[in-house]
Amino acid sequence: MIDLLEAIGLACYLLPKEQRPEVLFAGNSALAEEVQNTLGSLANLHIAPNVRPSYDSEQLTPSQPALAQIYRLVRSRQIRGIQEIDLWTGNNLMPAATAFGRTIRYVSKEYAHTHKGVLGIDVGASATTVASAFSGDLILSIFPGLVWEKIYPRS
C-alpha cells in the first residue's frame, strides 16, 4: 500500500496544482495517518471509513457521503452555476443515481411490512442505474455502457 501511495504522490507532484485529482482513501484506518502524511500536501485528499473492514464484509454506505462530496466539488468546477444550485439545496446536491437509490430505499421501508423488496431501473442517456432495496438496505449499481440507444436503437 505504501508503494502505491508513493506512486500516486509522485503522479500528483508532477501535475500542476490546478490539475491535481481528488483522492478518496476508504481503506485500512490504521494507514489513514500515513496516507495523510504522504498525499495530504500533494492531492485533494478525502478520507472515509474503510469499505472492507474485514475480509468477509463490505460496507460501502459510510463512504458514500464522501464520494458525493467529491462529485459535487468536481462538477462545480466543470459546470457554471452548479455552486448556486448547490446552495439552493443546502449543499445537498447529489448524483442522479444516488437520488434514485434513496427513493428506492425509502419505498422499500414503506413496504417493509409486506416482506417484499423493491427494484428500480433507470435507463438513461449515459448509463443505466439498477437499485434494489429490502427493508431499507440498498444495493445500487451503475452500468455506464448500457444506455437507451443500445436497448432501443433508432431505425
Side-chain angles (χ1 to χ4, degrees):
M1 182 67 190
I2 303 303
D3 291 341
L4 288 173
L5 284 175
E6 290 174 1
I8 294 168
L10 178 61
C12 291
Y13 176 77
L14 294 173
L15 288 171
K17 285 190 179 192
E18 63 277 358
Q19 292 181 358
R20 291 184 182 170
E22 301 290 332
V23 176
L24 174 62
F25 176 75
N28 187 340
S29 57
L31 294 176
E33 187 175 337
E34 182 72 25
V35 171
Q36 179 67 42
N37 292 339
T38 305
L39 297 179
S41 63
L42 299 173
N44 302 316
L45 180 64
H46 307 267
I47 296 179
N50 192 351
V51 295
R52 191 168 289 279
S54 66
Y55 177 73
D56 59 343
S57 71
E58 183 175 76
Q59 298 175 352
L60 300 177
T61 306
S63 63
Q64 287 175 340
L67 188 57
Q69 171 68 19
I70 293 169
Y71 178 83
R72 279 200 336 262
L73 287 170
V74 170
R75 296 306 278 176
S76 69
R77 290 185 208 127
Q78 295 172 339
I79 302 172
R80 209 171 55 205
I82 286 291
Q83 289 177 334
E84 185 177 352
I85 294 171
D86 194 30
L87 288 174
W88 294 350
T89 66
N91 293 323
N92 286 318
L93 193 65
M94 65 181 69
T98 303
F100 181 67
R102 288 179 70 173
T103 303
I104 297 301
R105 183 175 52 221
Y106 173 78
V107 172
S108 79
K109 287 179 182 179
E110 291 298 310
Y111 287 97
H113 66 281
T114 65
H115 304 291
K116 292 183 180 180
V118 177
L119 174 67
I121 301 173
D122 177 18
V123 180
S126 62
T128 295
T129 304
V130 178
S132 61
F134 184 80
S135 298
D137 293 326
L138 174 69
I139 299 173
L140 184 67
S141 300
I142 302 167
F143 301 95
L146 186 59
V147 296
W148 185 259
E149 283 292 319
K150 288 187 178 181
I151 296 171
Y152 295 105
R154 294 180 185 173
S155 1

